[in-house]
Amino acid sequence: MGNSVRTALLVGLGAGMGAVARQLVLLTAAPGSTAALALTFAVNIAGCLAMGACKPGPVWGTGFLGGFTTFSAVSVAAAQSGAAAALTIMLLSFATSIAAYLLGDTLRERRHG
């Protein structure tokens, strides 16, 4: 098996593990509730912070953290919230995820630096 195929399979395995971890976190809230949306934000922020802080490789970065975080769940929640709320939810999600990544990256640079 070629190295790229092996890596792709490992990334897929990592993504599956990340998705399971996210689902386990989200099981603590009622589906479609404000708590579920808040937990989705928290998962995305934690994943982006970890991505910036650790700079993981393909298996843990693209795979696990990619599967753990979810833009699609935020998009669905936004679409179900009405137009004005949807725009706010999407902008907040994008801004907080980018800010968390940048914070993690800054912390990593200071730690190594």
Side-chain angles (χ1 to χ4, degrees), residues 56-68:
V59 175
W60 289 106
T62 304
F64 183 83
L65 291 174
F68 184 63

Side-chain angles (χ1 to χ4, degrees), residues 15-44:
M17 292 181 347
V20 168
R22 173 179 23 95
Q23 187 61 29
L24 289 172
V25 170
L26 294 178
L27 282 175
T28 63
S33 68
T34 302
L37 180 60
L39 281 174
T40 301
F41 266 87
V43 162
N44 286 347

Side-chain angles (χ1 to χ4, degrees), residues 1-20:
M1 182 177 350
N3 193 30
S4 60
V5 172
R6 181 178 180 273
T7 299
L9 291 172
L10 288 172
V11 167
L13 179 63
M17 292 181 347
V20 168

Side-chain angles (χ1 to χ4, degrees), residues 74-86:
V74 173
S75 300
V76 169
Q80 295 171 346
S81 299

